[in-house]
Amino acid sequence: MSETAQTYRNYIGGEWVAAADGRTTENRDPATGALLGHFPRSSQVDVDRAVAAAKTAFEGWRRTPAPKRGEILYRVGALLAERKEEIARILTSEMGKVLVEARGDVQEAIDMAYYMAGEGRRLFGAVVPSELPNKAAYGVRDPLGVIACVTPWNFPTAIPSWKSMAALIAGNTVVLKPATDTPHSALKLVEAFADVGLPPGVLNLVMGSGSEVGMPLVQHPDVAGISFTGSSEVGREVNVEAARAFKRVTLELGGKNAILVMDDADLDLAVEGILWSAFGTTGQRCTACSRLIVQKGVRRELEERLVERARALRLGHGLDEQTQVGPLINTGQRERVHSYMQVARDEGARILAGGEMATEGDLTKGAFYTPTLLTDVKPGMRVAQEEIFGPVLSIIEVETLDEAIAVNNDTRYGLSSAIFTRDVNSAQVAMRDLTTGIVYINAGTIGAEIQLPFGGTRGTGNGHREAGLGALEFFTEWKAIYVDYSGRLQRAQIDA
Ligand code: NAP
Ligand code: MG
């Protein structure tokens, strides 16, 4: 049977164009292997064109009043809301997450559009007193110039929108390179901007691989800043390259997030929070819970309940409303996840549930993996330290709250953590002492809202935050302005 599918194009300088040399890559459904479309496999020439278009558009865009830039974002938000279902279905088909989560992914883009649109009327600077008479002092935010956004496949609409909308409202122009596995969701986002009349060149889309498009963008002399989300390995390379040219770079990398469950917790609630955080998005969220740090008194009961519930989760195509867990992003990722089962056994952990590829019926056509619980895990084991990025939860027993917090904090990552407890004092101690960028009380490790800073400590990134006010810190340069209206030379620090 021969498969046919549509061919899609890049968006450069306000035009939909094929890759310069005409090459394409297949986009396939991870649940079935079905061909979904052909997308450009771009190269240096396309990168050069897109950066040139963004550079040309920068002067006009930076001088466009920020509230006017905001009006464009409002219109994009409204259009995305209209197209939410269509985009969510495309997203599920190419990425695999279940439809309710895909709708949430698109909703994040809508929320961010409205939030950043509002920033168009704020973009708060600072007005401070001068130490000298008849002199004004204030700080304003300037855009950087051309920003490269390089994004992963796990939030195919949300992450490109977080980056591009924050960059654009501040007056930057953008070249977006989405993950090879999920080009269509990014295209739908860019299409919304095109359809509301964003000026040509302000936002450009170049699809293709990390080596042929991602790295050339990072290295391009006319790119002023890079916003990257992805793996630690690639993030390090991006950071090193950016450093050579003193470019600003924000990195959002992996996580090894934990839920702490204390003896006094509401276990019904904890079970729901754990299942949602560990197996939602098939464990492929940067904030997914991959460690359960449980106090001794409730370990047995919690394990029993989790085993029963994990085994009952329905795997299937994300478009089927009955499905609770979709496939992994591709079969390569499934191999990687499965390889950790041997790692776990070798180190003395036990598989309580799952631990295998799904073998029933249609599930063999896709990258499905059974929801997995590992127990007898010790804090230093590889399955307690390395990001697996799949439906695998490592259970670690502890005696006390202090020990639970210490175990939580002892990893190279620091994105999110959560605690289930009914003791207000324990909750306060946790809020004070958990050293992740995000902390949840009586909720799972996932579910960030766009109006607060998003990001993590340690190896999760390089200290910047996305979303909320944090985003503007990265996408703007402070310019300090002194206006002396005394009519004479006044010397700061010298003329008292
Ligand atoms: P990845 O392989 O690092 O890819 C991320 C992006 O970088 C993709 O667009 C990729 O292109 C591109 N890329 C690959 N090699 C590159 C290179 N040498 N130079 C420049 N760009 C390059 O990560 P992934 O597998 O897509 O995503 C999974 C990872 O992302 C996980 O580790 C997860 O924790 C992390 N993540 C973190 C957050 C967060 O906010 N902390 C959020 C989501 C995901 P191709 O697609 O063509 O390879
Ligand atoms: Mg990749």
Side-chain angles (χ1 to χ4, degrees):
M1 192 185 77
S2 77
E3 294 176 294
T4 56
Q6 203 176 326
T7 299
Y8 296 86
R9 288 175 291 176
N10 288 327
Y11 188 67
I12 298 176
E15 308 278 350
W16 294 99
V17 290
D21 58 14
R23 293 183 307 165
T24 58
T25 307
E26 289 181 345
N27 185 17
R28 288 186 178 272
D29 182 336
T32 62
L35 181 65
L36 302 170
H38 302 277
F39 288 80
R41 184 170 161 197
S42 313
S43 59
Q44 182 79 48
V45 190
D46 307 292
V47 168
D48 290 344
R49 286 180 187 165
V51 174
K55 190 183 177 190
T56 303
F58 177 62
E59 273 312 302
W61 185 244
R62 103 180 157 83
R63 293 185 205 189
T64 302
K68 295 286 168 208
R69 298 197 292 256
E71 283 169 22
I72 291 180
L73 282 179
Y74 274 120
R75 294 207 291 276
V76 167
L79 199 53
L80 291 174
E82 244 174 66
R83 296 176 182 173
K84 181 173 170 180
E85 190 62 19
E86 179 204 348
I87 301 173
R89 286 176 175 274
I90 287 171
L91 196 161
T92 288
S93 301
E94 71 175 353
M95 188 275 166
K97 68 173 69 172
V98 297
L99 195 50
V100 280
E101 292 183 28
R103 290 183 187 125
D105 200 315
V106 182
Q107 187 59 43
E108 276 190 40
I110 298 165
D111 295 344
M112 189 58 87
Y114 291 145
Y115 181 86
M116 285 298 165
E119 273 308 321
R121 288 195 180 268
R122 289 188 293 268
L123 283 177
F124 290 139
V127 179
V128 294
S130 166
E131 66 187 46
L132 292 162
N134 299 318
K135 187 177 170 189
Y138 57 99
V140 297
R141 294 175 182 276
D142 272 355
L144 277 62
V146 178
I147 302 286
C149 301
V150 180
T151 56
W153 44 262
N154 67 338
F155 278 85
T157 305
I159 294 177
S161 75
W162 284 23
K163 295 181 184 309
S164 61
M165 289 169 179
L168 292 173
I169 196 63
N172 302 285
T173 55
V174 171
V175 180
L176 167 63
K177 186 218 105 56
T180 302
D181 282 310
T182 55
H184 203 173
S185 307
L187 183 147
K188 294 303 287 183
L189 173 69
V190 172
E191 187 179 70
F193 275 98
D195 289 351
V196 303
L198 185 76
V202 172
L203 172 61
N204 307 274
L205 174 68
V206 183
M207 294 173 266
S209 73
S211 55
E212 292 179 301
V213 178
M215 196 40 84
L217 262 178
V218 169
Q219 292 170 331
H220 200 293
D222 290 331
V223 166
I226 300 132
S227 183
F228 175 86
T229 297
S231 61
S232 302
E233 295 67 32
V234 177
R236 181 175 292 111
E237 270 181 65
V238 167
N239 208 13
V240 166
E241 277 308 314
R244 291 183 209 287
F246 304 116
K247 288 183 190 182
R248 191 181 289 201
V249 52
T250 175
L251 304 170
E252 292 294 347
L253 310 173
K256 191 67 191 177
N257 316 293
I259 292 180
L260 285 53
V261 180
M262 298 295 104
D263 283 346
D264 59 35
D266 174 343
L267 281 198
D268 293 339
L269 185 61
V271 166
E272 298 305 327
I274 293 163
L275 290 167
W276 174 231
S277 303
F279 303 128
T281 324
T282 320
Q284 303 170 108
R285 288 187 183 223
C286 45
T287 54
C289 171
S290 62
R291 293 183 297 158
L292 170 59
I293 302 171
V294 58
Q295 204 172 359
K296 205 173 177 179
V298 287
R299 173 182 169 182
R300 289 288 162 228
E301 185 182 350
L302 194 55
E303 279 186 351
E304 279 166 24
R305 290 168 72 167
L306 287 173
V307 167
E308 192 189 326
R309 292 286 300 277
R311 287 194 179 132
L313 289 170
R314 280 185 305 274
L315 275 56
H317 198 291
L319 289 177
D320 178 347
E321 301 266 4
Q322 299 299 307
T323 298
Q324 292 170 298
V325 181
L328 289 163
I329 185 66
N330 53 45
T331 49
Q333 184 61 18
R334 183 172 60 174
E335 290 300 330
R336 213 180 86 85
V337 170
H338 193 52
S339 72
Y340 273 98
M341 296 307 119
Q342 196 54 45
V343 171
R345 285 193 206 94
D346 289 348
E347 290 188 312
R350 276 190 302 129
I351 300 173
L352 271 184
E356 9 171 77
M357 319 222 179
T359 51
E360 285 166 49
D362 280 351
L363 296 181
T364 56
K365 293 185 193 153
F368 289 95
Y369 201 79
T370 53
T372 301
L373 297 168
L374 303 176
T375 194
D376 292 342
V377 174
K378 299 285 175 271
M381 289 182 181
R382 285 182 59 194
V383 290
Q385 291 289 335
E386 297 176 17
E387 183 179 53
I388 299 174
F389 227 52
V392 181
L393 181 66
S394 297
I395 303 174
I396 303 168
E397 181 186 297
V398 292
E399 305 264 349
T400 63
L401 174 65
D402 285 348
E403 187 188 351
I405 291 173
V407 169
N408 177 77
N409 293 347
D410 185 21
T411 73
R412 56 187 275 239
Y413 296 112
L415 186 51
S416 76
S417 55
I419 183 168
F420 284 88
T421 178
R422 284 172 165 134
D423 183 330
V424 66
N425 294 347
S426 299
Q428 285 293 343
V429 169
M431 284 184 261
R432 185 191 62 197
D433 293 342
L434 292 169
T435 54
T436 50
I438 307 170
V439 170
Y440 293 93
I441 306 298
N442 289 325
T445 53
I446 65 181
E449 300 180 29
I450 59 99
Q451 63 276 22
L452 275 179
F454 181 91
T457 59
R458 298 187 281 276
T460 286
N462 59 346
H464 294 286
R465 292 291 183 270
E466 292 197 86
L469 285 176
L472 296 177
E473 292 305 325
F474 179 77
F475 289 113
T476 56
E477 294 273 16
W478 279 106
K479 184 191 279 172
I481 299 177
Y482 301 95
V483 184
D484 194 319
Y485 52 95
S486 67
R488 58 197 170 85
L489 178 68
Q490 298 198 93
R491 298 171 301 176
Q493 295 91 36
I494 295 169
D495 300 332

